[in-house]
Amino acid sequence: MKWIIILLFLPIAIFLLPSTIVLAISLFPSLIVFLIDNTKRHYMTVTIFFFNLAGSAYFLQLLWKKGHHLSMIGETLSNQMGWLFSFSGTGLGWLIFIILPSIWGQVCKAQSSILTIRLKREQKKLIELWGPDIAKPER
Amino acid sequence: MAAQPVLLNNTYRIQPDERLPLFDLPGIPAFAAYDLRDPAAAYFALILSPRDPIPSFSSEDAPVHILWPKASGIVLWPDIQHRGLREMPVLIYRRPNVQKVGSVSEPLSDIVLIRNVIQPVVAALQELSQLNLTHRAIRLDNIFQNSDGTILLGDCLTLPPGAHQPVIFETIENALTHPYGKGSGHITDDIYSLGVLAAIFALGKECTALSIPEENMALLKADRGSFRVITSGFRFSARLEEFFRGVLADRPPERWTLSILEKWLNNQGIPATLPNAPAKASRAIAFAGGEYYTRPSLAIAMNIHWQEASQLVMEEDFYHWVRRAFSEQKQSEQYERARVQANYHGAPQATGHRAASRLISLLYPTMPVSYKNWRIYPLGLASLLRYAAEKEDSQQDLKEFILSRLIHSAIDAIAAPSQALTVFRRQLEDMSSFLEREGPGLGLKRIVYELSPDMPCRSPMMGAKYVTSAAQLLPALEEGLSGNDNSVFLMDDYLACFLAVQMKSSAARDIPFLQGDWQRIEARLAILRIWGHVQRAYPAGHLPKVSQILLNMALKLVGEIIRNREMRAQTEEYLRRAAEQSDFSTMARLLDPSSQTCLADQHEYQRAKARYARLEWEVKWLEAGGLTNKNRVAAMAQRFAASLAILSSSAFLAFFFIWMMT
């Protein structure tokens, strides 16, 4: 599957070589993250990459405005706003990746309490309807 | 204060305060009675035991020379023991102008003896013979003297045949038999009793046989012969001597029959029969301190010394004696076979007893069937069991006796058994299975009711009622209950046996469920079903006390059978409505485990139980941190973060490039 994707995107990458080079350089933080990411399925890399990619759109917009030539790569990459957006995307992705588990944990805790109460209520109804023997385990 | 008269069938008036001891029978008091249609006619009533069946009889062919009942029925009689009224069976007799005989001091002459004693008794026996009956109660305290001096025989229907006969009036075999196990016997047994009676009248005070102790009588008769013992050595006229020798013959084939007696009374020629003495052995056998040369005398001694007999028959000496002393090879083979057969149908430790029984029957074929302390004739088993089945110390031996098939073998040994014996043999075969198991509706009590279908139900729950059919059960129960009987199961062993016999095709099928603890659901359901069967077969109207007890039982059962509270409440409501109508069969049907309601309840209960278990598992999983598990939360959050990143950045890029294009 991996090789199919590579073979599919390689011609596009070659065709859009200047964009490819600019993206490759602006997505450098994602590469670092990929190297240090030990999560299953590289969720950290994916999160940071996509936000990084979104931030790198400024560079692409600059390059395409200036004519999409290899010679414009240097000028494009020297734009400070571009790097600001690129690193901001990276930072946002990293922030979301760090904060979300604790928010998620609180949500799960609340959900667990609500579910437990609901389940116990249903058990109580069953006992009222069928008697306490229903709670005795099958031998 | 004069007691209230008691009415029978609105026809006879019985006076509880007018006793007539003249007509009393053992254990049965007699009271004056009057016919409402004919106040001048005098009667008397015998008040029978409420535990025994009413004798059946026909008043149309009533014998003239015997006290014979005119009517029978059930009356409400003052019960001193229970301080109230109780249903008692009663027989009504015409009250003759007689005197009781009791004892004889002055001897009668031959003519008077024949006219006043022998002829009337022979006439009575002829009347009975036509009815296919025997008397079996010819004795001094059961005969009356008419005003002309002739004898009138007393009642012969009320008590078991021969139950109260003094040993002197009994043949050797009957003397050894249990008083309640004699069966109806044979008319020649009555002829023997007539001979004894005639001898007492002929001898008066000179009859020394009356002073012989009863325990010595049977052996003495066997040793010396009944003729010599009863006639006390007195020389009679030739005619009377012939009479006594004929009627007091110890061997039944030699004893006079009714036809011979008739010929003798008519002075016709009697074929002479020489007494056939039993074969005498070439040498005696020592047994229990005595020496015996004949098989009958040995058999009698073995009956009397049973324990020694059970050991004797296990020794080879006995069989050697039989083989050599009588030189009869075929007979000795029979004895050997009997010993082998004794190994079967019972515990090994009782083999000696079974062998003794079989061998006594071979030694003396007309002897009653013996086993330990019990000696009976087969047709006497019913009356014996009525008397003995409830006695704790008798039950084990009686069970062994019946299961050992000794009675079966005794009947099989008879060359031409009567129809009654053939029917009884078949009944015995069917009933043996009731003894092989224990429990309500089984055992000796069951056999009592099987053999005596007219037996009243002896359950204490019947209270003061005399119940002889299933149709009377529910009203009797209703009357007998006090209204505070909340712990009563409304069933006991007597009722179970009674119903098993009376309702074989319906209620009897539920009796097996009563085995074991009655607190079990199956047992209580069976009780409900049984009363449902009875009520359906014999509707008895509204029975509030019975209904309340069965309703209490049913309501407890509802709680145990039906689990769903709503269904339970509904069923309880239906049960209450059925109880108001005393509709026990509907109550049983509502709680039938195979009914739609119960099956649905069980099915839904299983589903609910599974659901509860599932919920419990989920609660435990949640409480153990199933949803809040750190790793799980982290994994889900990371997945969510990645998804959020993909979606949001894809949306952003899409908008960005569209904006760029425009």
Side-chain angles (χ1 to χ4, degrees):
Chain A
M1 185 71 180
K2 229 189 271 180
W3 289 108
I4 292 169
I5 293 169
I6 290 171
L7 284 172
L8 204 63
F9 279 100
L10 195 59
I12 301 170
I14 293 168
F15 181 70
L16 297 172
L17 193 58
S19 298
T20 305
I21 294 170
V22 165
L23 274 178
I25 294 167
S26 70
L27 289 174
F28 185 74
S30 299
L31 178 66
I32 304 297
V33 168
F34 175 72
L35 290 173
I36 63 167
D37 184 8
N38 57 357
T39 60
K40 231 179 182 180
R41 298 192 183 184
H42 303 288
Y43 288 123
M44 188 198 271
T45 306
V46 168
T47 310
I48 293 172
F49 168 80
F50 276 92
F51 279 113
N52 192 187
L53 181 67
S56 302
Y58 189 81
F59 279 131
L60 287 178
Q61 176 257 328
L62 275 181
L63 180 67
W64 291 345
K65 240 185 180 171
K66 288 177 179 171
H68 198 254
H69 291 296
L70 283 171
S71 56
M72 294 286 103
I73 292 173
E75 202 177 315
T76 306
L77 287 173
S78 60
N79 189 292
Q80 287 163 353
M81 284 303 285
W83 285 111
L84 179 65
F85 283 126
S86 175
F87 284 129
S88 296
T90 307
L92 182 64
W94 179 81
L95 200 67
I96 286 173
F97 191 80
I98 296 297
I99 292 174
L100 209 56
S102 60
I103 298 172
W104 195 261
Q106 292 304 316
V107 168
C108 284
K109 206 171 169 184
Q111 194 183 32
S112 177
S113 302
I114 293 167
L115 259 179
T116 306
I117 291 168
R118 194 153 51 98
L119 292 174
K120 284 188 173 174
R121 200 183 303 144
E122 197 180 333
Q123 280 185 315
K124 197 175 166 195
K125 273 192 194 153
L126 284 173
I127 290 176
E128 276 167 19
L129 195 56
W130 294 97
D133 281 355
I134 203 171
K136 289 183 190 159
E138 289 279 1
R139 282 191 193 167
Chain B
M1 195 173 90
Q4 288 281 354
V6 173
L7 292 182
L8 172 66
N9 303 335
N10 282 326
T11 307
Y12 297 97
R13 174 170 54 90
I14 309 168
Q15 293 294 142
D17 53 353
E18 279 184 43
R19 284 276 281 113
L20 294 173
L22 177 67
F23 298 105
D24 282 352
L25 286 173
I28 299 177
F31 295 84
Y34 304 92
D35 190 336
L36 294 174
R37 300 163 295 189
D38 180 12
Y43 291 83
F44 73 92
L46 288 178
I47 310 298
L48 309 182
S49 165
R51 293 171 58 80
D52 291 326
I54 303 181
S56 60
F57 62 92
S58 165
S59 54
E60 284 169 11
D61 302 319
V64 167
H65 298 88
I66 306 173
L67 266 182
W68 196 260
K70 197 113 170 65
S72 66
I74 310 294
V75 294
L76 269 175
W77 192 255
D79 183 0
I80 298 161
Q81 195 183 355
H82 295 98
R83 290 187 203 159
L85 293 174
R86 198 206 158 104
E87 284 189 351
M88 306 278 255
V90 65
L91 291 173
I92 303 285
Y93 297 75
R94 189 115 200 176
R95 196 190 317 172
N97 184 13
V98 292
Q99 286 178 342
K100 201 139 195 180
V101 171
S103 64
V104 179
S105 50
E106 293 302 318
L108 298 179
S109 64
D110 289 11
I111 295 171
V112 173
L113 179 70
I114 293 170
R115 187 189 67 219
N116 287 358
V117 178
I118 298 174
Q119 269 177 340
V121 175
V122 170
L125 294 181
Q126 281 167 336
E127 287 172 322
L128 283 175
S129 174
Q130 275 162 15
L131 296 172
N132 238 353
L133 295 172
T134 55
H135 194 279
R136 302 296 287 114
I138 299 175
R139 56 180 186 270
L140 274 177
D141 66 352
N142 195 34
I143 54 172
F144 302 89
Q145 196 165 40
N146 290 311
S147 48
D148 60 0
T150 54
I151 291 295
L152 175 73
L153 289 182
D155 170 84
C156 62
L157 296 174
T158 313
L159 295 167
H164 295 273
Q165 287 292 83
V167 170
I168 189 173
F169 284 92
E170 293 284 79
T171 61
I172 298 170
E173 297 92 346
N174 281 323
L176 291 168
T177 310
H178 191 285
Y180 286 86
K182 295 180 183 176
S184 49
H186 194 267
I187 203 82
T188 51
D189 297 327
D190 287 325
I191 290 173
Y192 183 97
S193 303
L194 164 62
V196 175
L197 188 72
I200 294 171
F201 272 101
L203 294 169
K205 277 188 292 204
E206 304 295 323
C207 183
T208 53
L210 284 168
S211 52
I212 298 172
E214 288 213 333
E215 56 270 22
N216 299 340
M217 183 69 74
L219 253 181
L220 204 56
K221 285 183 180 178
D223 267 342
R224 301 173 58 196
S226 291
F227 171 76
R228 284 179 64 192
V229 172
I230 301 298
T231 56
S232 311
F234 194 80
R235 296 302 307 243
F236 292 98
S237 61
R239 192 156 183 238
L240 274 185
E241 180 108 350
E242 182 188 40
F243 167 79
F244 285 124
R245 283 195 185 279
V247 299
L248 291 174
D250 286 315
R251 293 187 71 241
E254 292 164 16
R255 199 175 303 142
W256 279 10
T257 59
L258 263 184
S259 56
I260 297 176
L261 261 176
E262 284 162 20
K263 284 184 182 161
W264 178 80
L265 281 171
N266 295 331
N267 284 310
Q268 289 168 356
I270 313 294
T273 43
L274 287 170
N276 200 354
K280 202 167 172 181
S282 51
R283 66 172 178 87
I285 182 169
F287 172 70
E291 286 191 340
Y292 302 92
Y293 282 90
T294 64
R295 284 178 282 225
S297 59
L298 178 62
I300 293 169
M302 285 170 74
N303 254 312
I304 294 169
H305 303 284
W306 184 268
Q307 209 51 44
E308 291 88 332
S310 64
Q311 287 158 7
L312 173 73
V313 296
M314 303 305 285
E315 291 162 9
E316 282 305 318
D317 281 352
F318 172 76
Y319 301 93
H320 286 149
W321 178 75
V322 167
R323 234 185 336 267
R324 291 184 187 158
F326 295 98
S327 306
E328 289 169 356
Q329 183 62 25
K330 201 174 172 184
Q331 277 263 323
S332 68
E333 281 168 13
Q334 268 186 321
Y335 290 109
E336 294 284 352
R337 249 196 321 272
R339 175 164 66 162
V340 169
Q341 280 172 337
N343 287 316
Y344 302 104
H345 305 298
Q349 50 266 40
T351 302
H353 297 293
R354 292 192 295 277
S357 176
R358 288 181 181 274
L359 288 157
I360 287 171
S361 296
L362 286 173
L363 288 167
Y364 196 153
T366 54
M367 192 70 98
V369 187
S370 320
Y371 186 79
K372 294 185 180 175
N373 294 331
W374 302 96
R375 291 160 214 349
I376 65 163
Y377 284 102
L379 290 177
L381 183 64
S383 53
L384 178 74
L385 288 180
R386 282 202 297 272
Y387 161 79
E390 292 165 30
K391 294 182 194 290
E392 292 277 341
D393 52 358
S394 312
Q395 286 172 3
Q396 187 54 37
D397 282 349
L398 280 172
K399 252 198 240 183
E400 282 176 19
F401 191 179
I402 299 171
L403 286 173
S404 63
R405 300 186 70 85
L406 296 167
I407 304 173
H408 302 65
S409 301
I411 300 172
D412 293 340
I414 298 171
S418 63
Q419 196 191 3
L421 263 178
T422 309
V423 168
F424 175 74
R425 172 71 172 82
R426 208 162 38 237
Q427 275 182 307
L428 206 57
E429 201 65 60
D430 295 339
M431 285 179 307
S432 298
S433 61
F434 302 141
L435 290 179
E436 283 157 6
R437 293 167 289 153
E438 293 287 335
L442 297 170
L444 288 172
K445 284 195 194 79
R446 172 69 178 269
I447 297 184
V448 170
Y449 287 100
E450 289 280 354
L451 292 177
S452 308
D454 296 333
M455 261 285 279
C457 181
R458 289 182 174 179
S459 167
M461 286 193 216
M462 296 294 98
K465 302 294 274 185
Y466 185 83
V467 171
T468 52
S469 80
Q472 300 165 313
L473 271 177
L474 285 171
L477 267 179
E478 180 68 22
E479 212 175 289
L481 290 170
S482 67
N484 295 323
D485 305 281
N486 287 321
S487 61
V488 168
F489 279 107
L490 220 59
M491 184 59 61
D492 61 20
D493 203 10
Y494 291 103
L495 277 170
C497 294
F498 186 78
L499 283 164
V501 171
Q502 291 274 329
M503 297 185 72
K504 281 189 196 284
S505 58
S506 52
R509 287 198 229 134
D510 286 310
I511 301 290
F513 292 99
L514 298 177
Q515 312 308 317
D517 182 11
W518 284 2
Q519 291 290 356
R520 291 177 308 117
I521 291 175
E522 294 81 7
R524 285 179 285 152
L525 278 174
I527 292 172
L528 210 48
R529 279 199 302 271
I530 287 168
W531 291 118
H533 287 306
V534 175
Q535 185 253 348
R536 200 167 40 239
Y538 306 106
H542 186 45
L543 304 163
K545 290 184 214 156
V546 174
S547 301
Q548 188 56 52
I549 291 177
L550 290 179
L551 177 63
N552 291 344
M553 194 192 302
L555 289 176
K556 275 197 198 120
L557 276 169
V558 169
E560 292 167 45
I561 294 174
I562 297 178
R563 309 220 191 222
N564 184 292
R565 297 268 158 115
E566 286 160 8
M567 220 182 279
R568 201 186 296 171
Q570 192 182 62
T571 306
E572 283 173 2
E573 180 54 34
Y574 290 151
L575 282 170
R576 286 195 175 89
R577 279 192 222 159
E580 277 167 23
Q581 309 294 323
S582 296
D583 185 355
F584 308 137
S585 49
T586 298
M587 288 168 74
R589 208 169 41 245
L590 282 168
L591 294 173
D592 184 355
S594 62
S595 68
Q596 199 86 353
T597 310
C598 292
L599 285 173
D601 179 76
Q602 278 166 35
H603 176 69
E604 288 304 316
Y605 176 76
Q606 293 305 325
R607 282 185 58 185
K609 201 168 170 72
R611 174 80 188 131
Y612 188 94
R614 176 76 202 163
L615 290 171
E616 186 66 18
W617 180 86
E618 287 182 20
V619 164
K620 282 200 168 86
W621 180 77
L622 287 170
E623 285 173 348
L627 266 185
T628 54
N629 177 265
K630 266 191 188 156
N631 293 336
R632 187 178 174 276
V633 165
M636 286 181 70
Q638 287 166 7
R639 193 162 60 224
F640 182 71
S643 307
L644 182 67
I646 293 169
L647 283 169
S648 56
S649 61
S650 301
F652 175 78
L653 285 169
F655 277 118
F656 185 78
F657 286 118
I658 290 167
W659 173 76
M660 270 194 57
M661 296 299 169
T662 53

